[in-house]
Amino acid sequence: MTSTPATYCLRTAVAADEAAIKQLIREVGINPLGLDWRRFLVAVDENGRLLACGQVKPHGDGSRELASIAVVPDWRGRGLARQIIRTLQEEAGPPLWLTCVAALVPFYQPLGFTRITDPAEMSPHFRRLHRLAAIFISLTRSPDQLAVMRWATA
């Protein structure tokens, strides 16, 4: 059994991280669209191995989305996702939007995100996404519900 390194650092992604970011996003099964390494914050171990990542993704309506939050399985539960989110919040400032499965709402609430259920309170991008998700869920009878959340205060 190999031991897991105990230390890591957060840094802005570099071009050499692109493949590892895309691989991690695929492995955890989250939205692979809009992955631009230049927007990512990454956590790496002392050997430079990617442990976690996240980005703030801009949309055409001017909204910005906290997105692509992913942590390798061996490093889950150690606070990396929270540290990446808090750092991205500090750098970007409010408002920030995100989408997640409803089961993850309790994870994001302590970080200042509020679930938005009224489409009239959503930015145009997230209103469209909410509508499309509702159609998809009804067609597939998926038990998962999409949650739209917003962090609006510093």
Side-chain angles (χ1 to χ4, degrees):
M1 180 173 168
T2 60
S3 64
T4 303
T7 62
Y8 67 92
C9 71
L10 289 185
R11 64 168 170 76
T12 303
V14 296
D17 297 320
E18 182 176 21
I21 290 168
K22 289 180 177 179
Q23 179 181 341
L24 179 56
I25 297 302
R26 278 192 308 272
E27 285 175 7
V28 300
I30 57 178
N31 181 0
L33 302 175
L35 302 179
D36 183 343
W37 66 266
R38 292 170 289 215
R39 294 190 297 255
F40 275 81
L41 182 67
V42 297
V44 295
D45 68 15
E46 62 265 14
N47 298 317
R49 183 176 73 103
L50 182 75
L51 305 173
C53 64
Q55 69 168 323
V56 173
K57 183 171 27 173
H59 294 293
D61 66 355
S63 63
R64 297 170 305 140
E65 179 181 9
L66 179 72
S68 311
I69 305 299
V71 180
V72 298
D74 289 349
W75 278 81
R76 291 184 184 151
R78 298 187 195 193
L80 271 73
R82 280 184 176 80
Q83 189 172 4
I84 285 174
I85 292 166
R86 289 193 189 283
T87 302
L88 290 171
Q89 286 175 303
E90 288 172 15
E91 291 175 356
L96 284 178
W97 295 83
L98 68 82
T99 58
C100 63
V101 293
L104 289 176
V105 167
F107 173 81
Y108 289 104
Q109 287 173 325
L111 296 163
F113 286 88
T114 303
R115 187 170 186 178
I116 307 297
T117 56
D118 182 355
E121 296 180 27
M122 296 176 190
S123 75
H125 172 83
F126 289 92
R127 194 168 30 251
R128 282 189 306 275
L129 186 60
H130 184 263
R131 217 173 18 244
L132 289 171
I135 293 168
F136 175 78
I137 288 167
S138 70
L139 291 174
T140 62
R141 296 192 173 125
S142 171
D144 292 330
Q145 294 293 315
L146 178 76
V148 175
M149 301 186 79
R150 179 181 63 213
W151 175 62
T153 58

